[in-house]
Amino acid sequence: MFKHLNAVSGDPLLALIIAHQKDPNPNKIDLGVGVYKDDNGHTPILNTVKKAEAILLEQEASKSYLGIYGAAEFEPIIQDLLFGEGHALVSSGRIRSTQTPGGTGALKVAADFISANLKGARLWVSDPTWGNHKSIFDSAGVEILDYPYYDPATNGLRFDDMMAKLEAEVKEGDVLLVHACCHNPTGIDLQLEHWKVLTEFVKAKGLLPLVDAAYQGFGDGLEEDMAGLRHMAENVDNMLIANSFSKNFGIYRERCGGLSIMAESADEANAAFSIVGQAIRANYSMPPSHGAAVVYTIMSNPELKAEWEQEVAQMRDRINGLRAKLVAKLAASGVSKDFSFIQDQRGMFSYSGLTLEQVRTLRSEYAIYIADTGRMSIAGVSDDNIDYLCESIAKVVG
């Protein structure tokens, strides 16, 4: 029955990771992997996560099913993190939130919800966007279109081109996917003034915004990173939000995320939420428990929460500090290209401005593994490898 099937090419980033692992060069550097690493190249377990797990080991009394939406007490945790405690939108009942298996699970449920209930809605994504966005929505039968975003000439944002394209081609009822912060893969974020323009555009055109909030806390701060999302939510009637706890809690393999749906009224939100529940039931039935239990234990304990906020700040400061070091050392290496834009980017990733030829030369001659697009994971840079990295880039770029 399977003789007619042909193998498909795998994820190029995963292939990059495997190639790095097999490379015998002792100076090899992996700048492709999309997880946080410390200066030893290790993805650590946060102290607060260890403490929460110890509490759960002692207190957990059952491994029974959670139910379609996950633990009921987890809903306000999702909302408080996204909007801040006591936000009027949350108390109004216009937002409902469900636990999901990671941010990816949230996006998959959103895709199924849009496909089944918003007939003819097309999804607009940035060019480029996270590689899995298109796969998720394509698998749900949603038509996908691109809007301009990254400008290779300036290594900056093409906001005017973005708005011109959307103005000319969006239709009422289309879905606009926007990254809340720490844009993956470019590291180039919309500023608050951009969010304000975009919010008025969404209202005028009758669009449904879908905000992907995968990296809250890794840009400028837990509150600061949500400024654009919150402005938009306060000024539109409807919104979908997919968020991830993988990065800011360091619980990647526990697959913990959330999907929030905002409607014009509490009744509409509850009706839509019931349909989201149907999509979950037909997909994975109900989410896993452990990651959400860890997050809830931390967020409901004032001492653990305060310590966790410090741990997030440490990860953020390390990444932003690496950006500054990288720019300074590249300049000191005598490289001809101005890489100062890397310091202005946010999050774990950077569109480095390196060409395909330069990237492949770095890979073949110096064992430095960067995606073909030039996208590099800043978290893979360390004090031990930064000099070798900058010297190698200088030799390749000239």
Side-chain angles (χ1 to χ4, degrees):
M1 285 190 176
F2 301 146
K3 292 184 184 301
H4 66 290
L5 301 179
N6 295 312
V8 298
S9 57
D11 188 308
L13 285 175
L14 296 181
L16 200 67
I17 294 169
I18 294 171
H20 168 266
Q21 290 171 345
K22 293 180 177 179
D23 195 320
N25 190 323
N27 294 319
K28 64 183 179 180
I29 304 174
D30 180 8
L31 300 181
V33 66
V35 298
Y36 176 80
K37 293 181 180 181
D38 60 21
D39 205 50
N40 298 314
H42 178 63
T43 301
I45 301 176
L46 302 188
N47 290 331
T48 47
V49 169
K50 283 286 194 183
K51 291 177 181 178
E53 288 182 320
I55 293 170
L56 290 172
L57 183 63
E58 178 69 26
Q59 297 182 356
E60 190 175 41
S62 175
K63 294 292 186 182
S64 183
Y65 290 122
L66 287 178
I68 289 173
Y69 299 110
E73 63 269 19
F74 196 60
E75 182 173 15
I77 297 296
I78 297 170
Q79 295 171 354
D80 287 348
L81 191 59
L82 291 174
F83 292 98
E85 293 182 16
H87 196 286
L89 275 174
V90 176
S91 59
S92 72
R94 289 178 53 207
I95 300 175
R96 297 301 312 274
S97 303
T98 177
Q99 178 190 337
T100 59
T104 304
L107 289 164
K108 173 58 177 168
V109 174
D112 289 345
F113 174 80
I114 290 165
S115 177
N117 300 282
L118 306 179
K119 296 301 182 183
R122 305 173 301 171
L123 179 77
W124 290 87
V125 299
S126 62
D127 178 21
T129 193
W130 178 50
N132 211 17
H133 277 149
K134 292 187 176 182
S135 298
I136 291 168
F137 285 86
D138 183 64
S139 71
V142 178
E143 182 182 355
I144 304 161
L145 298 164
D146 295 318
Y147 57 81
Y149 195 83
Y150 171 69
D151 186 350
T154 64
N155 301 110
L157 177 66
R158 296 176 61 191
F159 188 70
D160 290 343
D161 292 340
M162 167 184 168
M163 295 308 300
K165 173 82 169 181
L166 293 172
E167 182 71 49
E169 297 189 26
V170 296
K171 298 189 303 184
E172 183 178 358
D174 280 352
V175 181
L176 180 66
L177 193 155
V178 186
H179 299 231
C181 63
C182 305
H183 185 275
N184 181 3
T186 68
I188 301 166
D189 282 349
L190 295 172
Q191 300 304 306
L192 185 56
E193 58 266 26
H194 298 137
W195 280 94
K196 291 179 178 179
V197 171
L198 205 55
T199 297
E200 295 307 310
F201 178 78
V202 164
K203 290 164 61 178
K205 291 290 186 177
L207 307 181
L208 174 64
L210 166 57
V211 182
D212 189 351
Y215 295 93
Q216 182 178 358
F218 272 37
D220 293 308
L222 288 163
E223 298 296 313
E224 293 86 345
D225 289 350
M226 294 297 100
L229 180 154
R230 292 175 185 178
H231 173 82
M232 182 173 280
E234 289 162 0
N235 290 280
V236 300
D237 292 332
N238 304 281
M239 180 183 280
L240 295 173
I241 306 166
N243 76 292
S244 171
F245 298 91
S246 297
K247 291 81 178 176
N248 51 21
F249 283 84
I251 51 173
Y252 298 89
R253 68 176 62 171
E254 306 302 348
R255 311 311 301 130
C256 182
L259 175 65
S260 299
I261 186 163
M262 186 182 84
E264 194 169 355
S265 68
D267 287 344
E268 287 184 14
N270 288 327
F273 197 60
S274 70
I275 297 172
V276 165
Q278 285 185 325
I280 291 172
R281 181 63 172 158
N283 192 325
Y284 51 83
S285 190
M286 55 195 68
S289 168
H290 186 71
V294 167
V295 173
Y296 176 78
T297 301
I298 293 170
M299 297 298 283
S300 60
N301 180 310
E303 290 183 6
L304 285 180
K305 183 180 178 183
E307 184 180 350
W308 168 74
E309 289 174 351
Q310 291 177 350
E311 289 185 296
V312 175
Q314 288 168 1
M315 290 189 285
R316 176 177 67 249
D317 291 345
R318 178 175 178 275
I319 292 171
N320 289 338
L322 283 171
R323 289 185 178 278
K325 278 186 184 179
L326 196 57
V327 169
K329 285 185 176 288
L330 282 168
S333 71
V335 68
S336 59
K337 182 179 175 64
D338 178 11
F339 285 97
S340 60
F341 58 87
I342 291 177
Q343 192 166 346
D344 297 327
Q345 296 167 346
R346 284 294 176 265
M348 290 204 299
F349 305 114
S350 167
Y351 252 36
S352 63
L354 295 170
T355 67
L356 178 59
E357 181 182 2
Q358 290 166 346
V359 165
R360 291 186 173 173
T361 301
L362 285 168
R363 195 180 306 164
S364 62
E365 297 185 15
Y366 300 95
I368 296 171
Y369 288 81
I370 297 171
D372 283 349
T373 57
R375 172 266 212 194
M376 67 168 69
S377 175
I378 297 295
V381 181
S382 69
D383 287 339
D384 288 338
N385 66 30
I386 192 169
D387 288 332
Y388 175 70
L389 172 63
C390 292
E391 290 164 6
S392 301
I393 291 175
K395 291 174 184 175
V396 169
V397 174

